[in-house]
Amino acid sequence: MSETPRSRETGGDTSTGLPQRRTGHAFAHTPHRSDSRTPQTPRGARQPGPGGRPGTIPPVPGRPATLRRATLRQAAPPAAFSLLALCLITWQVLVAGPLSAADERLGRALVRAAPDAVTERLADLGNIPVAVPVLALAMAYAAWRGDRRGALAAGLAMALVPVLVVPLKEWTARPGPLEPWAAGYYPSGHTATAAVAYLGAALLVSPYTRRNWPVAVALVLVGATATGLVLRGFHWPLDVLASCFLCVPLLLAVSGFSRSGGFSRRSSRRSSG
């Protein structure tokens, strides 16, 4: 009875019929399909490393640096609009234009429209001892989770608030609703402090929450602060509105440098996971 010779992979193979190890890293570690299609598992797309060991997964499109640059480009139009609106309001305040006159009429009608005990508590939300510790805690948490760039951006944004607000106060020298003899009410420093502190903290924390509730809570706190300042007579309505416009570029920068990526939490979770 003759033995049928077994096929060899190479013509010069004179070894016995023992199984031979195939050479090449791709044969050793890449799974194969019967239909010759590329495996759908991430392991099949890995590049082999030295010695035939599995390598790393190829980079996916949308790396953090690319996403950050795209976010900053998208933030340019709203930042430019905010600065333009701030310039318009400041011009009206300086020349006592019709917009400023209408603002003062509205402010006088709203002053003391609610109990002082309530409006003072709302206005106190913009105090530095109240708002800044909230941002500091969020910065510490973000840095602990690895978002040091976002924490640093939020800290710089808060440091820029007095740098931007104080010169505008001295330049405009606008009197207050209840203190016409005083000056330096435009723009509202309390509103700017609340906006950067609460919204900045929300941008740092929101990537690690299931829903975007931190941003909603921050908007409520900023709105409550602005309402309290106007109703108590500490500021005119345009004072708080100008501060909001002033803070928009700062907050957009925080969003661009942090993992929030313009309030996109899902992508940041995938990149950090």
Side-chain angles (χ1 to χ4, degrees):
M1 180 176 179
S2 61
E3 181 180 357
T4 303
R6 300 179 63 180
S7 61
R8 299 288 190 267
E9 283 204 29
T10 59
D13 190 359
T14 57
S15 61
T16 61
L18 296 177
Q20 299 296 317
R21 179 179 180 180
R22 296 181 179 180
T23 59
H25 306 316
F27 291 100
H29 295 284
T30 303
H32 297 274
R33 296 172 58 107
S34 60
D35 53 5
S36 301
R37 289 186 295 170
T38 304
Q40 301 301 318
T41 59
R43 184 181 180 89
R46 295 184 180 182
Q47 301 296 329
R53 293 187 296 272
T56 58
I57 298 177
V60 296
R63 294 159 63 178
T66 305
L67 289 176
R68 189 175 297 115
R69 288 193 295 267
T71 302
L72 292 176
R73 286 195 300 267
Q74 293 174 359
F81 171 79
S82 299
L83 293 177
L84 182 61
L86 176 64
C87 292
L88 174 62
I89 297 174
T90 304
W91 168 61
Q92 286 291 294
V93 170
L94 287 172
V95 301
L99 185 62
S100 177
D103 175 57
E104 292 180 1
R105 289 194 297 270
L106 177 61
R108 293 189 184 96
L110 294 176
V111 168
R112 302 288 174 81
D116 290 350
V118 176
T119 55
E120 284 184 6
R121 297 299 179 272
L122 296 179
D124 288 343
L125 293 173
N127 289 340
I128 291 178
V130 178
V132 173
V134 175
L135 179 62
L137 290 176
M139 291 169 56
Y141 178 75
W144 177 66
R145 294 296 297 263
D147 190 10
R148 296 180 180 85
R149 188 187 297 267
L152 179 61
L156 291 177
M158 178 55 68
L160 286 175
V161 168
V163 175
L164 298 174
V165 170
V166 173
L168 281 174
K169 285 179 175 292
E170 295 180 354
W171 183 32
T172 56
R174 191 183 195 189
L178 299 180
E179 297 180 349
W181 59 88
Y185 282 82
Y186 176 90
S188 169
H190 282 69
T191 304
T193 300
V196 174
Y198 297 134
L199 287 172
L203 290 172
L204 295 177
V205 175
S206 59
Y208 311 106
T209 58
R210 291 184 176 274
R211 302 185 185 278
N212 211 11
W213 61 265
V215 174
V217 172
L219 289 174
V220 171
L221 292 175
V222 175
T225 304
T227 302
L229 291 170
V230 172
L231 295 183
R232 182 61 181 85
F234 291 150
H235 281 286
W236 302 104
L238 282 183
D239 297 345
V240 300
L241 183 60
S243 291
C244 292
F245 285 131
L246 177 66
C247 294
V248 167
L250 300 177
L251 293 171
L252 289 174
V254 174
S255 175
F257 283 100
S258 68
R259 289 184 178 177
S260 59
F263 304 96
S264 178
R265 305 188 323 275
R266 294 183 179 179
S267 61
S268 62
R269 283 203 194 101
R270 294 194 187 104
S271 62
S272 59

